[in-house]
Amino acid sequence: MRLLIIFISLLGFLGVFAQDTGQKIFKPNVRSLKVYNPNNFMAPDIIRNATSDRLIINFDIIGEDPLFLRYRLIHCNSDWKPSRLMESEYIDGFNEVMIEDYAYSNNTYIHYVNYNIELPDPQLPVLASGNYLLQVFSEEDPDDILLQTRFSLSEELSFVAGGITTKTDKGVNSDFQQLFLNIDLSNLPNINPYQDLIVTVMQNNRPETTKTLSHPLRVQAGHAIFEHNPDMIFEAGNEYRRFETVRTDYPGMNVDSVKFINGIWNAWIKNDFSRKHREYNFDSTQHGRFKIDEYNSTDPDLSADYVMVHFSLDPGERQFGKIYVDGDFTNHRFDKSNLLEYDWEDGLYHASIPLKQGSYNYQYVVIPENGKTPSVSAIEGNKYETRNEYLIKVFLRTPGSRGDRLIGTAQIF
């Protein structure tokens, strides 16, 4: 029990913001929140109508005793703010479901209970397409939210095609990539594409990169064409860095050493350096995703242990701002839990984060002083050759509607 208390204290204070509709963990003992399609690791968090799409929401709670938990759904518009739809308009029945799928960790030094939610859930039929916020809360107190995460339900009424070019309106083969889109609206003949469409574009599942397009450049033969739009220009960034902790008996990919200290495994990542002024080096990454894994287990969700992962960075030049480790495993939040601190003795920035064994993508992000927009380019650089992932969502908002319908989606690489 003493070990669990020490471990939880290392997780840091995450804070609770009731109005925050991003993916977020509100309790320090909740870890490893992941939303994924079990049939396609690279698929977005979207359930497409008339398909076999499924989503799994998986997370751990550090400790030995299970909690009685429930979850509910909140319908959101394209900007992830709650819509004006009543619950009865997007849920068939009572909007509260007990989470009954849980199991205890096996042969791990850090004990935890693993929970699963599978969507679609026959206990909670969803009636409306769009963005959804899923909140997990204590059965005893519905206001005691442990975590919340995002997913979407798409009608797939419009087919979205498009591409990426490095020949942008800001230059050729420079720091940027630009998208062009062709949206087939033949199944929606009675809408006004210039007024009724909202298109969002997000790079590498990073919410802060989201761009919103309000109207096409032109409409041609039932197709909405989006091109030469400044909101479709993105910084190119760089390929993600990677490491693996699937084993603890010897160092994995990009791990310098592994050691068991005070009841928990520790892994030291090899020292990282700024890539801003280095040549582009191709690496086939998973665009920020992570996968829980333990080399000798048939069920890593229960057998993977927690490892204190130590990051070290030499930024190469002074950074006027705060530096964070970023990836899906951080829920793309920027707080004390993933902040790097400067060590005056070795001249490096360091962060220690407890992570479940597995394979991880990560990068270093800087938030400038007196700024709010995270910058990848400050340390990782912008390389036009980078193979980024772009998620396209097409929403329909007709006059008088109280909630945005999601009518089409696409992934562009």
Side-chain angles (χ1 to χ4, degrees):
M1 181 58 67
R2 181 175 179 271
L3 175 59
L4 292 176
I5 294 173
I6 294 173
F7 177 77
I8 290 172
S9 68
L10 291 169
L11 301 180
F13 177 72
L14 297 175
V16 178
F17 301 94
Q19 70 273 23
D20 190 334
T21 58
Q23 181 158 301
K24 191 168 181 69
I25 291 174
F26 296 108
K27 304 292 182 179
N29 61 334
V30 179
R31 300 298 300 176
S32 303
L33 171 61
K34 184 172 179 58
V35 184
Y36 66 96
N37 184 325
N39 299 318
N40 183 357
F41 177 71
M42 296 298 292
D45 304 336
I46 298 173
I47 299 172
R48 297 168 299 168
N49 189 38
T51 70
S52 59
D53 285 345
R54 293 186 300 137
L55 293 179
I56 302 296
I57 292 93
N58 184 278
F59 60 93
D60 295 335
I61 296 185
I62 305 300
E64 300 180 353
D65 299 318
L67 302 179
F68 297 104
L69 304 177
R70 295 179 179 269
Y71 78 89
R72 59 175 168 247
L73 301 181
I74 299 173
H75 186 270
C76 298
N77 286 325
S78 59
D79 58 2
W80 290 101
K81 295 179 181 178
S83 72
R84 293 184 293 120
L85 291 179
M86 299 178 61
E87 280 191 355
S88 60
E89 295 180 276
Y90 65 87
I91 293 295
D92 184 9
F94 190 52
N95 190 9
E96 189 173 303
V97 177
M98 176 73 75
I99 303 176
E100 299 177 334
D101 185 359
Y102 62 87
Y104 303 92
S105 59
N106 295 324
N107 299 318
T108 58
Y109 288 97
I110 301 299
H111 296 170
Y112 57 85
V113 182
N114 179 257
Y115 294 81
N116 269 296
I117 300 170
E118 182 172 339
L119 301 175
D121 188 339
Q123 298 184 74
L124 195 62
V126 179
L127 303 176
S129 67
N131 287 334
Y132 280 90
L133 193 67
L134 183 148
Q135 294 182 330
V136 174
F137 56 92
S138 168
E139 182 181 41
E140 298 178 353
D141 183 2
D143 295 326
D144 183 22
I145 303 173
L146 278 69
L147 63 92
Q148 62 187 23
T149 189
R150 295 171 168 184
F151 75 95
S152 301
L153 179 63
S154 175
E155 299 177 40
E156 296 298 294
L157 294 177
S158 63
F159 178 76
V160 182
I164 307 166
T165 179
T166 59
K167 185 179 180 181
T168 76
D169 293 340
K170 288 188 175 183
V172 178
N173 294 347
S174 59
D175 292 344
F176 304 98
Q177 297 176 348
Q178 187 162 354
L179 273 68
F180 53 91
L181 301 175
N182 184 321
I183 302 174
D184 184 353
L185 301 174
S186 57
N187 290 326
L188 300 156
N190 298 320
I191 69 169
N192 183 339
Y194 292 102
Q195 296 181 2
D196 299 343
L197 291 184
I198 301 173
V199 179
T200 62
V201 185
M202 180 172 62
Q203 183 191 66
N204 296 333
N205 200 35
R206 296 173 54 220
E208 70 273 13
T209 69
T210 302
K211 306 282 189 70
T212 301
L213 314 176
S214 58
H215 59 273
L217 176 66
R218 66 182 186 275
V219 176
Q220 181 178 324
H223 290 246
I225 310 299
F226 291 81
E227 57 188 11
H228 297 296
N229 188 325
D231 288 330
M232 297 171 71
I233 300 175
F234 292 79
E235 288 192 343
N238 207 338
E239 306 292 352
Y240 278 81
R241 305 173 192 252
R242 296 190 289 164
F243 72 88
E244 291 185 355
T245 54
V246 297
R247 302 184 68 149
T248 53
D249 53 349
Y250 71 86
M253 176 188 295
N254 201 37
V255 175
D256 185 67
S257 60
V258 181
K259 192 173 182 179
F260 190 74
I261 303 175
N262 295 329
I264 184 173
W265 286 104
N266 289 256
W268 284 266
I269 304 299
K270 295 178 181 179
N271 286 351
D272 286 318
F273 300 89
S274 171
R275 299 186 293 173
K276 183 176 182 179
H277 302 297
R278 297 190 177 192
E279 294 294 324
Y280 170 77
N281 184 26
F282 172 76
D283 189 13
S284 181
T285 69
Q286 288 74 50
H287 308 291
R289 293 173 174 83
F290 70 95
K291 183 179 182 181
I292 302 302
D293 197 10
E294 203 281 332
Y295 85 103
N296 199 32
S297 173
T298 58
D299 190 354
D301 284 338
L302 302 180
S303 300
D305 213 333
Y306 275 84
V307 177
M308 188 63 69
V309 180
H310 304 278
F311 298 86
S312 298
L313 170 68
D314 181 355
E317 56 191 38
R318 183 179 177 185
Q319 298 297 322
F320 295 92
K322 295 181 178 179
I323 306 175
Y324 297 86
V325 183
D326 186 47
D328 281 6
F329 64 93
T330 70
N331 297 306
H332 300 286
R333 313 299 299 192
F334 302 101
D335 54 35
K336 292 182 179 180
S337 67
N338 58 331
L339 174 67
L340 284 87
E341 300 285 355
Y342 186 72
D343 188 327
W344 290 97
E345 292 187 8
D346 62 12
L348 301 176
Y349 286 83
H350 297 279
S352 297
I353 304 175
L355 298 172
K356 206 170 181 179
Q357 284 181 272
S359 303
Y360 288 81
N361 277 195
Y362 71 104
Q363 60 186 358
Y364 293 104
V365 173
V366 176
I367 296 183
E369 294 177 355
N370 302 319
K372 296 182 179 180
T373 303
S375 169
V376 172
S377 62
I379 292 175
E380 306 296 356
N382 281 319
K383 315 298 178 183
Y384 70 87
E385 304 97 330
T386 303
R387 190 169 182 265
N388 289 302
E389 171 188 336
Y390 295 91
L391 177 61
I392 317 300
K393 293 182 180 179
V394 182
F395 295 88
L396 182 63
R397 181 186 293 176
T398 54
S401 63
R402 292 181 292 108
D404 296 345
R405 294 167 54 188
L406 180 55
I407 59 173
T409 62
Q411 278 178 295
I412 299 176
F413 297 92

